[in-house]
Structures are given as structure tokens and as C-alpha cells.
């Protein structure tokens, strides 16, 4: 038997890249995967390693559509409420599914800086010559 899964979904939040103590890139995120017949979505935990993690963090953002191939893994740990089980997909391959835009090759941080709201520019001009009669308020 094979442990193989392929899911398509949208990132629930902006990706956050972390590093292990050995400086290996890793990311845990959640994909919202639509159910059939408009029944809502399932929220699937996904763990990405190395280049997959780096590329998702660099190019994607909350709401980005992503195809993930990998294996299902279950971890067990003792928590405050007793034994806890976590089921997740360990990604072996990812594919970006959003349509390519003009700036899709630009890293997410640069897009965010470029698209940040600009502070309004104010002129130091004299308003005394304005025709107050033509104003709608």
C-alpha cells in the first residue's frame, strides 16, 4: 500500500518560514480545501521542508492557491489535556496554481512594500482663492 495524497487548496494565512536548529527551512501552514457541492471547506495541516518551504514563503500569500503532493503523517504528544494526535500532510512537491500576474516573479516582501498605502501628499498652498460656492458641501 502507498501513503500518497494530493490536495488543492488556498493558504489560510501568510506563510511564515522557520528554521530548525540545523538551519533547515521548514514551514507549517494550513490549506483550506473546498468540499464537494459547496459544503464549506476542510482545513488541512501541511508541513513543507527546504526549497518547498522557501519558495512558498517567498512567492505566496494568504489566499494563494496551491497544489500539494505528499504523505499523511500522524504525530503523538502528551499535552495538558492528555495524549494529542496531529494528522498532517508532509509535502514532497508543491505547485503554484494562481494565474501568473505581471509581478508574480517578484518576492512577496517586495510586492508588499511596493503596494503599501502611500502617505497623502499635502501642498502648502493658500486656500483663500478657492470658490467656496462651487463646493458640494
Amino acid at each position: 500500500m502507498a501513503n500518497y495524497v494530493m490536495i488543492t487548496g488556498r493558504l489560510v494565512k501568510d506563510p511564515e518560514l522557520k528554521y530548525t536548529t540545523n538551519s533547515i527551512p521548514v514551514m507549517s501552514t494550513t490549506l483550506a480545501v473546498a468540499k464537494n457541492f459547496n459544503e464549506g471547506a476542510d482545513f488541512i495541516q501541511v508541513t513543507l521542508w527546504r526549497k518547498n518551504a522557501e519558495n512558498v514563503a517567498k512567492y505566496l500569500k494568504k489566499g494563494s492557491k496551491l497544489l500539494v503532493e505528499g504523505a499523511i503523517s500522524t504525530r503523538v504528544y502528551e499535552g495538558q489535556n492528555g495524549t494529542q494526535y496531529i494528522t498532517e500532510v508532509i509535502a514532497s512537491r508543491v505547485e503554484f496554481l494562481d494565474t501568473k500576474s505581471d509581478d508574480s516573479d517578484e518576492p512577496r516582501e517586495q510586492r508588499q512594500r511596493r503596494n503599501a498605502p502611500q502617505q497623502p501628499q499635502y501642498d502648502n498652498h493658500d486656500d483663500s482663492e478657492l470658490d467656496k460656492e462651487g463646493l458640494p458641501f
Side-chain angles (χ1 to χ4, degrees), residues 8-72:
T8 301
R10 295 194 178 273
L11 291 173
V12 172
K13 61 181 182 177
D14 282 336
E16 185 178 329
L17 186 63
K18 296 181 180 179
Y19 293 89
T20 66
T21 54
N22 295 331
S23 300
I24 298 172
V26 63
M27 174 188 306
S28 291
T29 190
T30 303
L31 282 186
V33 180
K35 294 181 181 182
N36 291 333
F37 310 108
N38 294 326
E39 295 177 0
D42 287 319
F43 297 91
I44 310 295
Q45 293 288 111
V46 178
T47 299
L48 303 112
W49 291 90
R50 296 180 174 79
K51 275 295 187 190
N52 284 335
E54 290 175 327
N55 287 333
V56 167
K58 188 174 182 180
Y59 294 107
L60 299 185
K61 62 183 179 185
K62 177 181 177 180
S64 295
K65 196 170 185 180
L66 184 65
L67 177 134
V68 175
E69 293 181 29
I72 294 181

Side-chain angles (χ1 to χ4, degrees), residues 65-115:
K65 196 170 185 180
L66 184 65
L67 177 134
V68 175
E69 293 181 29
I72 294 181
S73 176
T74 303
R75 292 185 280 137
V76 180
Y77 70 94
E78 291 297 323
Q80 292 177 340
N81 299 327
T83 303
Q84 302 290 313
Y85 296 88
I86 296 175
T87 302
E88 62 189 341
V89 175
I90 306 298
S92 57
R93 186 178 96 75
V94 297
E95 185 175 328
F96 302 172
L97 297 179
D98 284 329
T99 56
K100 188 171 181 171
S101 64
D102 294 339
D103 62 355
S104 64
D105 289 336
E106 181 179 24
R108 182 170 48 95
E109 296 83 15
Q110 290 177 5
R111 279 196 314 270
Q112 287 175 335
R113 264 187 258 119
R114 185 174 43 78
N115 293 332

Side-chain angles (χ1 to χ4, degrees), residues 117-132:
Q118 298 294 321
Q119 293 294 328
Q121 300 295 318
Y122 296 103
D123 294 337
N124 289 332
H125 66 277
D126 184 12
D127 289 342
S128 63
E129 294 182 22
L130 283 177
D131 179 16
K132 310 258 188 218

